[in-house]
């Protein structure tokens, strides 16, 4: 599922399907900037760097804490073993999801850097081609019924496989250039026994995301009828 190598105080994780000769430089955005390989950046709670290597675009992200704790510790986490790190757990989950054939940003490599009881982490995944988030799309136009059904059936596909997404929101739902739907950002995600309780809770989280984003943007094309269609399509797909 993954390979683990060590270098000084660093653990380097690579997926079994990775074909790159990844080294520690890959986790330094300045390394890619020096090669003029950065093709885009995306701001959020933290910056994601999109870099081109061998005609493919990959994404580098650094792990940052959120909330009040993040204001003090920023990117520092307590180290209690490699397999307990958020980096290892997300990377291992991504490798499992890739093996299941689910539509994700495929894992390439991850790094855990340890300093005593503290660790920091980074993750590299393959970028979704010409990706546009559902949130970005709804700021410019309404989603078609087919697009909403594709979102619903994709989510149901993950849930039927027992995949719990800890931060299911419309910024983490992407369309590629062919209109296929992907889920990204599986930090703190889990594989669980399928259950209506957590599936409904995950769906409710998604609904709150629609409502939150609708209140943020000057234009946002999403109606209660759209939500009803998405929800109905989801439950139908889950039962099939």
């Amino acid at each position: 599922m993954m390979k683990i190598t060590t270098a000084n105080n660093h653990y380097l994780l690579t997926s079994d399907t990775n074909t790159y000769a990844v080294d520690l430089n890959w986790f330094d955005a300045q390394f890619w900037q020096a090669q003029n390989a950065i093709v885009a950046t995306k701001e959020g709670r933290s910056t994601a760097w999109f870099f081109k290597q061998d005609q493919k675009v990959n994404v580098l992200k650094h792990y940052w804490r959120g909330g009040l704790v993040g204001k003090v510790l920023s990117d520092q986490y307590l180290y209690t073993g490699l397999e307990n790190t958020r980096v290892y757990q997300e990377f291992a989950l991504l490798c499992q999801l890739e093996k299941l054939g689910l539509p994700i940003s495929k894992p390439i490599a991850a790094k855990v850097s340890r300093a005593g009881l503290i660790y920091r982490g980074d993750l590299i995944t393959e970028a979704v081609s010409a990706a546009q988030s559902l949130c970005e799309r709804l700021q410019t136009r309404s989603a078609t019924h087919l697009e909403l059904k594709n979102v619903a059936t994709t989510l149901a596909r993950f849930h039927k496989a027992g995949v719990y997404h800890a931060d299911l929101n419309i910024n983490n739902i992407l369309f590629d250039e062919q209109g296929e739907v992907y889920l990204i950002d599986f930090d703190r995600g889990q594989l669980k026994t399928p259950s209506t309780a957590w599936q409904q809770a995950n769906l409710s989280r998604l609904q709150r995301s629609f409502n939150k984003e609708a209140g943020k943007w000057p234009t946002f094309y999403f109606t209660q009828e759209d939500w009803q269609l998405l929800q109905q399509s989801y439950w139908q797909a889950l039962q099939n």
Side-chain angles (χ1 to χ4, degrees):
M1 187 172 70
M2 75 168 79
K3 301 172 186 175
I4 305 173
T5 56
T6 58
N8 297 322
N9 294 321
H10 306 289
Y11 297 94
L12 178 62
L13 318 176
T14 53
S15 70
D16 288 343
T17 58
N18 168 59
T19 58
Y20 295 114
V22 179
D23 61 42
L24 294 177
N25 287 323
W26 280 52
F27 300 93
D28 183 354
Q30 292 183 350
F31 171 77
W32 297 111
Q33 288 169 340
Q35 299 183 58
N36 293 317
I38 301 289
V39 295
T41 59
K42 190 165 186 178
E43 302 289 338
R45 192 172 72 189
S46 61
T47 301
W49 293 274
F50 293 74
F51 64 90
K52 195 168 186 179
Q53 174 73 359
D54 295 339
Q55 304 307 309
K56 287 188 177 180
V57 177
N58 302 315
V59 188
L60 168 63
K61 83 166 185 178
H62 186 69
Y63 284 77
W64 295 92
R65 284 185 173 276
L68 293 175
V69 174
K71 295 182 183 299
V72 178
L73 297 177
S74 63
D75 64 346
Q76 301 174 54
Y77 298 85
L78 178 65
Y79 186 84
T80 60
L82 179 62
E83 293 186 5
N84 295 328
T85 65
R86 285 169 64 166
V87 185
Y88 180 97
Q89 291 177 356
E90 181 175 5
F91 192 74
L93 178 59
L94 288 172
C95 289
Q96 290 175 291
L97 300 187
E98 181 183 21
K99 190 174 182 179
L100 290 171
L102 293 168
I104 59 169
S105 182
K106 294 182 179 179
I108 294 174
K111 183 187 72 168
V112 175
S113 299
R114 183 184 175 189
L117 294 176
I118 297 297
Y119 78 88
R120 294 175 173 85
D122 302 274
L123 174 70
I124 298 173
T125 55
E126 185 178 307
V128 175
S129 178
Q132 182 185 46
S133 73
L134 178 55
C135 184
E136 291 168 331
R137 182 159 295 191
L138 294 177
Q139 291 171 51
T140 60
R141 65 169 176 82
S142 300
T144 66
H145 282 194
L146 179 59
E147 288 169 339
L148 293 173
K149 287 181 178 179
N150 285 344
V151 169
T153 55
T154 300
L155 179 56
R157 185 180 168 192
F158 277 86
H159 280 181
K160 286 170 78 171
V163 183
Y164 170 77
H165 194 298
D167 190 19
L168 186 62
N169 66 66
I170 59 175
N171 291 292
N172 289 332
I173 298 173
L174 305 184
F175 292 94
D176 71 5
E177 56 194 345
Q178 306 299 326
E180 297 297 318
V181 178
Y182 292 74
L183 295 188
I184 62 167
D185 192 1
F186 285 87
D187 184 20
R188 295 177 291 112
Q190 300 175 52
L191 282 176
K192 297 184 172 188
T193 301
S195 161
T196 302
W198 69 255
Q199 290 166 341
Q200 177 61 65
N202 223 201
L203 197 64
S204 297
R205 184 184 186 93
L206 179 61
Q207 184 180 24
R208 291 194 297 273
S209 171
F210 278 112
N211 295 335
K212 177 183 175 181
E213 297 295 339
K216 279 176 59 175
W217 302 102
T219 57
F220 193 81
Y221 300 92
F222 192 76
T223 66
Q224 184 60 31
E225 289 73 22
D226 291 332
W227 172 251
Q228 294 298 332
L229 173 63
L230 191 155
Q231 185 175 228
Q232 183 181 34
S233 300
Y234 165 82
W235 289 114
Q236 288 176 344
L238 197 65
Q239 293 162 10
N240 290 337

